[in-house]
Amino acid sequence: MPYEVQGVVARGKGQEVSLETVLVPDPGPGEAVVNVQACGVCHTDLHYREGGISDDYPFLLGHEAAGTVEAVGEGVTGLEPGDFVILNWRAVCGQCRACLRGRPWYCFATHNATQKMTLKDGTELSPALGIGAFLEKTLVAAGQCTKVSAEAPAQVAGLLGCGVMAGIGAAVNTGGVTRGDSVAVIGCGGVGDAAILGASLAGAAKVIAVDVDDRKLEWARGFGATHTVNSRSADPVEAIRDLTGGNGADVVIEAVGRPETYEQAFYARDLAGTVVLVGVPTPDMRIDLPLLDVFGRGGALKSSWYGDCLPSRDFPMLIDLFLQNRLPLDKFVSETIGLDQVEEAFGKMHRGEVLRSVVVL
């Protein structure tokens, strides 16, 4: 018999989300049902609600989550009921050309659950990033469950399921930040601040935070920013150059996902420097850069998928650092809320009032 639980659903573009009864099937082969304990409210969920990712409504929102395994399906190994897990939306297949070349963080055939969760009337739901975790129990592919120490609070551990991992990974994995580097981060929300934290942990000598909100810039200092630039009152490209001896930063991380801020990142980097796009653009966005500048400035223009992380490698390591008081993941949690407060949390996120609202179940 399916589990009958409460979850947050987006029924149409721009419509306020609603709390609905959702039917979650027993896990089939290669699947697991997880008791969700906490799930962060991520900007990607708002993108889903607004139709910025696809129009496959209704969406079951939520994806940045942690909880315990309720049940596993046939053929699942290395995972059993009671395990404390962080959910990930890039469960590597181990068989595609990226995996076989030893680059599983680029896996081109990631796994999701085969069965569908539905509303009571049988309407199939599209789970956000293949997870759908604003829900008391959710069905995922077993590979989407990454075991970590149960000593970590779920509201902290779940943040690695998306935003914090994306930011830390953008700096460390994609950007390759290392000791002595100069780094600029444009956009100081949850992902941007995580990138600042990652750059600081990697030993960057200078970490420049750029935003239009002084409150966010102050938060960025708490995660390791050595300098801040309010781009409402100063040209961020010139400011970053001034702070780096006129050269530009070794690595510039764009955590907004807009053409104008990407262009700023492009021109704020040093010659042969690296630009990392981790902010999520919408399908209509375009960039227009002189091809001669792309050629002449050298370096690398990269996008960062999920911080180019490998969950089985990175999640346990980062949780261990948190438990050793070396990674302040708890500073990202601005508030804890209930399932019925997600719509309100979207408003707070849009207004820049919080780093992360976290649903606790």
Side-chain angles (χ1 to χ4, degrees), residues 188 193 211-223 228 230 348-355:
C188 298
D193 280 348
D211 205 284
V212 297
D213 187 333
D214 285 331
R215 174 180 45 189
K216 288 187 176 181
L217 292 172
E218 187 59 33
W219 291 345
R221 285 191 177 275
F223 288 103
T228 59
N230 188 315
K348 292 178 181 179
M349 180 177 61
H350 184 70
R351 294 189 296 271
E353 297 173 4
V354 294
L355 276 178

Side-chain angles (χ1 to χ4, degrees), residues 104-116:
W105 48 89
Y106 292 139
C107 179
F108 302 134
T110 55
H111 292 164
N112 295 130
T114 301
Q115 299 181 89
K116 289 288 189 179

